[in-house]
Amino acid sequence: MTIRVGILGYGNLGRGVECALKQNPDMELAAVFTRRDPQSVKILTEGVRVYHADEAEKMADQIDVMILCGGSATDLPVQTPHFAKYFNVVDSFDTHAKIPEHFQAVDEAAKEGGHVAMISVGWDPGMFSVNRLYAECVLPEGSNYTFWGKGVSQGHSDAIRRVKGVKDARQYTIPVEAALEAVRSGSNPELTTREKHTRECFVVAEEGADLARIEQEIKTMPNYFADYDTTVHFITEEELQRDHAGIPHGGFVIRSGKTGWEKEHNHVIEYSLKLDSNPEFTSSILVAYARAAVRMAAEGQKGCKTVFDVAPAYLSPKTGEELRKEML
Amino acid sequence: MTIRVGILGYGNLGRGVECALKQNPDMELAAVFTRRDPQSVKILTEGVRVYHADEAEKMADQIDVMILCGGSATDLPVQTPHFAKYFNVVDSFDTHAKIPEHFQAVDEAAKEGGHVAMISVGWDPGMFSVNRLYAECVLPEGSNYTFWGKGVSQGHSDAIRRVKGVKDARQYTIPVEAALEAVRSGSNPELTTREKHTRECFVVAEEGADLARIEQEIKTMPNYFADYDTTVHFITEEELQRDHAGIPHGGFVIRSGKTGWEKEHNHVIEYSLKLDSNPEFTSSILVAYARAAVRMAAEGQKGCKTVFDVAPAYLSPKTGEELRKEML
């Protein structure tokens, strides 16, 4: 039986989920829900309707799992507990420090509704977390290192746009190659923030703006840039559109650790991603975990789950026999 | 409560399990079982006894999980179904083609005994399989590539030792850098056996042996070497001991795949291992899955499981709260 999927929120992430569903024949897009005027939202899939978000609850019997594509700052803390009462849900809540309280709120709602709610699904949190966990369990005596990039940070790009005289901007987070090599060597280095990543900014200034002041304000901005080696390039609007329209990202999770009676052997485990489209890759992960949510719910499971709670087999449309024969 | 672990078979793998247990304070070595004379087996852990394998069944109430450290060719097909009747067990059965029949036999025995039996645990099958599965589920439109090495292949080293005039030998499997780069570029190349790996052999010949004939016999050996570019170096016994005593290994699992409505975006997921000691790393994985086996059994689960069936959280001594707070 085809899994019927709803999408709540149709931005980059929602559109990515729609594209990912096209690649998974055991699943289908049932409906898209938006807080905007549904008439104003044009989707890619023919024959599927767009509804106002307020209509969703009435359609609980037509949707096996709802993928929540809102933002972590204000949308998901409200939406995920709300919709977990009516649906199996999946979200990409990525404010690491607030995961425990989000889990608590969602867990109560999902148990009340008798549903499975999968939170913090994506690549970090998500695939990176899973890899940190596997690596730590296999090599208890060692250290985990996470590097991000090269990729666009939306939060840092927004921060630059708030500087007076800036019209538009794009910020890339770049891992420092020397730091990566030191970690891969197994030397277990202690690395400062500055040693791990650099930040490169492409800025379109307003006409007549004081470029030196803009550059200075960016480089000294606390939390965002002050602790990093930051480069600022001023470019034209056309150059920004032409060369920086994509949303690439990626990163590395590396663990080095020791085994042996006297810790005489060293091992390095490395997981890396190189992504042309950050939102489409995240969406593809959401869809795989949506399949898992429906299956786990069908087995009678209830409550809030994270990627740590999902056995890999639940993510695949293949049977256990097929997986053991083809993939093990 | 500390998890009491038994080791059956005390070779490189069994000794590796013993070392790994030292790094996991929630687990302890309860006993070692051997088919040799127990008096002849000296282990590293003080205060732990070595018993004959025939004594094991009588000690079922003293052991929470038995880690089976025999070989896949003849030991495990008999041992795993046998001991799954009496214990929760973990094995590293790695004959890929025979996994389905091994699963079947072990599943029946484990269900009969009311235990969890975890088979084919290690890095391939094992961690590599899990990574192939995650990557395929996230990027359904793509290709998986597995490369092995640089590392020692015991099977190929043994094959060389069977050549007339060879006293000792060590064979390294080496991934071809150009093939790795082609895969990482996302070009989805079709690669022949020869294009993926080379084989490098270090051979100690008997005095007066015909070196040209030995080299020729190695390079043309069907299945083992004929389909590869193989290099043969003749070295002295001292050089073999000095430079090739270790058992390093490693490898790469890479998936490249596409997303987007018109498949316009490319992504590369890469998992790699660089291991000083193949058996100790495998043992460390066995120990993490032994913890999972005990927990799953405590929840009432029964039967044969593989790495695909184990949610990552079961592998960790940390609680769900700790994992969400520290690792997600």
Side-chain angles (χ1 to χ4, degrees):
Chain A
M1 216 176 62
T2 308
I3 295 171
R4 301 166 301 172
V5 180
I7 294 174
L8 185 88
Y10 194 73
N12 282 335
L13 207 57
R15 201 175 301 109
V17 168
E18 183 181 22
C19 294
L21 287 172
K22 197 182 173 190
Q23 298 189 350
N24 288 278
D26 62 324
M27 309 177 86
E28 65 179 18
L29 180 61
V32 170
F33 300 90
T34 179
R35 285 174 301 176
R36 294 179 269 167
D37 172 9
Q39 300 293 335
S40 72
V41 176
K42 299 278 164 272
I43 67 170
L44 301 165
T45 311
E46 279 186 40
V48 172
R49 277 188 58 186
V50 181
Y51 299 87
H52 193 273
D54 295 343
E55 312 266 331
E57 293 158 33
K58 286 182 260 173
M59 294 172 64
D61 62 336
Q62 296 166 52
I63 307 245
D64 298 312
V65 57
M66 185 76 92
I67 303 184
L68 306 174
C69 298
S72 295
T74 56
D75 298 336
L76 298 176
V78 178
Q79 288 176 349
T80 314
H82 176 76
F83 287 101
K85 288 182 200 149
Y86 305 96
F87 300 95
N88 299 311
V89 297
V90 182
D91 82 17
S92 63
F93 185 80
D94 66 358
T95 312
H96 289 259
K98 292 189 174 169
I99 288 173
E101 69 187 80
H102 188 57
F103 182 92
Q104 195 61 40
V106 173
D107 194 46
E108 281 168 25
K111 280 179 178 156
E112 186 190 320
H115 295 111
V116 167
M118 206 80 82
I119 63 160
S120 301
V121 173
W123 59 274
D124 195 3
M127 289 294 113
F128 271 20
S129 322
V130 161
N131 274 280
R132 283 189 284 260
L133 180 54
Y134 275 116
E136 179 179 280
C137 296
V138 168
L139 294 175
E141 309 235 349
S143 306
N144 275 349
Y145 297 86
T146 302
F147 292 86
W148 295 273
K150 181 181 177 176
V152 172
S153 163
Q154 212 55 57
H156 288 79
S157 301
D158 290 344
I160 299 173
R161 286 189 202 101
R162 289 192 294 265
V163 171
K164 194 166 178 278
V166 170
K167 204 168 166 187
D168 203 352
R170 192 64 46 102
Q171 194 269 181
Y172 294 91
T173 306
I174 305 169
V176 175
E177 194 59 40
L180 278 170
E181 286 310 318
V183 168
R184 286 183 184 130
S185 77
S187 69
N188 263 17
E190 295 232 2
L191 296 166
T192 63
T193 298
R194 192 178 297 276
E195 286 167 331
K196 286 183 72 187
H197 297 93
T198 56
R199 300 198 175 278
E200 189 166 22
C201 314
F202 293 87
V203 180
V204 180
E206 285 167 2
E207 229 181 278
D210 179 349
L211 303 188
R213 180 199 42 86
I214 291 175
E215 180 166 346
Q216 180 65 10
E217 274 193 40
I218 294 171
K219 288 184 169 178
T220 57
M221 198 185 294
N223 302 318
Y224 285 94
F225 294 99
D227 297 334
Y228 297 85
D229 289 337
T230 301
T231 319
V232 176
H233 308 278
F234 290 98
I235 60 173
T236 66
E237 202 155 10
E238 293 69 39
E239 287 169 324
L240 191 82
Q241 291 304 326
R242 188 191 66 203
D243 303 332
H244 304 283
I247 320 176
H249 219 312
F252 305 80
V253 172
I254 308 176
R255 186 173 185 86
S256 73
K258 295 183 181 304
T259 67
W261 196 250
E262 304 291 347
K263 304 185 192 174
E264 61 271 31
H265 292 125
N266 201 62
H267 308 274
V268 179
I269 305 172
E270 176 167 344
Y271 178 79
S272 69
L273 298 173
K274 203 171 68 189
L275 314 174
D276 274 0
S277 166
N278 184 356
E280 284 181 9
F281 189 75
T282 301
S283 303
S284 298
I285 301 170
L286 288 169
V287 167
Y289 278 90
R291 177 185 291 119
V294 171
R295 290 180 167 184
M296 290 164 76
E299 287 182 0
Q301 298 196 46
K302 290 173 186 55
C304 190
K305 310 283 176 191
T306 75
V307 292
F308 296 150
D309 305 309
V310 180
Y314 283 112
L315 302 171
S316 172
K318 294 181 175 169
T319 65
E321 286 83 352
E322 288 170 327
L323 290 179
R324 288 187 293 274
K325 192 162 185 278
E326 299 167 19
M327 314 276 310
L328 199 61
Chain B
M1 216 177 60
T2 309
I3 295 171
R4 300 165 302 172
V5 180
I7 294 173
L8 184 87
Y10 194 73
N12 282 336
L13 207 56
R15 201 175 300 111
V17 168
E18 184 182 22
C19 294
L21 287 172
K22 197 182 172 190
Q23 298 188 349
N24 288 278
D26 62 325
M27 309 177 87
E28 65 179 18
L29 180 61
V32 170
F33 300 91
T34 178
R35 286 173 301 177
R36 294 178 268 166
D37 171 10
Q39 300 293 335
S40 73
V41 175
K42 298 278 164 274
I43 68 170
L44 301 165
T45 312
E46 278 185 42
V48 172
R49 278 189 57 186
V50 181
Y51 299 87
H52 194 273
D54 295 342
E55 312 266 331
E57 295 159 31
K58 284 181 263 173
M59 294 173 63
D61 61 337
Q62 295 165 52
I63 302 225
D64 299 311
V65 57
M66 184 76 91
I67 302 184
L68 306 174
C69 298
S72 295
T74 55
D75 299 336
L76 298 175
V78 178
Q79 289 176 349
T80 314
H82 176 77
F83 287 101
K85 288 182 200 149
Y86 306 95
F87 301 96
N88 299 311
V89 297
V90 182
D91 83 15
S92 63
F93 185 79
D94 66 357
T95 312
H96 290 259
K98 293 189 174 168
I99 287 173
E101 69 187 82
H102 188 57
F103 182 92
Q104 195 60 41
V106 173
D107 193 47
E108 281 168 25
K111 281 179 176 152
E112 187 192 321
H115 296 112
V116 167
M118 206 81 82
I119 64 160
S120 299
V121 174
W123 58 273
D124 196 1
M127 289 294 112
F128 271 19
S129 322
V130 161
N131 275 280
R132 283 188 285 260
L133 180 54
Y134 275 115
E136 179 179 279
C137 296
V138 169
L139 294 175
E141 309 235 350
S143 306
N144 275 349
Y145 297 85
T146 303
F147 293 85
W148 295 274
K150 182 182 176 174
V152 172
S153 162
Q154 213 54 58
H156 288 78
S157 301
D158 289 344
I160 299 173
R161 286 189 202 101
R162 289 192 294 265
V163 172
K164 195 168 176 278
V166 171
K167 206 168 165 185
D168 204 352
R170 192 64 46 101
Q171 194 268 184
Y172 294 91
T173 305
I174 305 169
V176 175
E177 194 58 40
L180 278 170
E181 286 309 318
V183 168
R184 287 181 184 131
S185 77
S187 68
N188 263 18
E190 295 232 2
L191 297 166
T192 63
T193 299
R194 191 177 298 274
E195 286 168 329
K196 286 183 71 186
H197 297 93
T198 56
R199 299 198 175 278
E200 189 167 22
C201 314
F202 294 86
V203 180
V204 180
E206 285 167 1
E207 228 180 279
D210 179 349
L211 303 187
R213 179 197 45 83
I214 290 176
E215 179 165 348
Q216 180 65 11
E217 275 193 40
I218 293 171
K219 288 185 169 177
T220 57
M221 198 185 295
N223 303 319
Y224 286 93
F225 295 100
D227 297 335
Y228 298 86
D229 289 336
T230 302
T231 319
V232 176
H233 308 278
F234 289 98
I235 60 173
T236 65
E237 202 155 9
E238 292 69 40
E239 287 169 325
L240 191 81
Q241 292 303 327
R242 188 190 66 204
D243 303 332
H244 305 282
I247 320 176
H249 219 313
F252 304 81
V253 172
I254 308 177
R255 186 173 184 87
S256 73
K258 295 183 181 303
T259 66
W261 195 250
E262 304 291 348
K263 304 184 194 175
E264 60 271 31
H265 291 126
N266 202 61
H267 308 273
V268 179
I269 305 172
E270 176 166 345
Y271 178 79
S272 69
L273 297 174
K274 203 170 68 189
L275 314 173
D276 274 359
S277 166
N278 184 356
E280 284 181 8
F281 188 75
T282 301
S283 303
S284 298
I285 302 170
L286 288 169
V287 167
Y289 278 91
R291 176 185 290 119
V294 171
R295 289 180 168 184
M296 290 165 76
E299 287 182 0
Q301 298 196 46
K302 289 173 185 53
C304 190
K305 310 284 176 192
T306 75
V307 291
F308 296 150
D309 305 309
V310 180
Y314 284 111
L315 302 171
S316 172
K318 294 180 176 170
T319 65
E321 286 83 353
E322 288 170 328
L323 291 179
R324 287 189 293 273
K325 191 161 185 277
E326 298 167 19
M327 314 276 310
L328 198 61

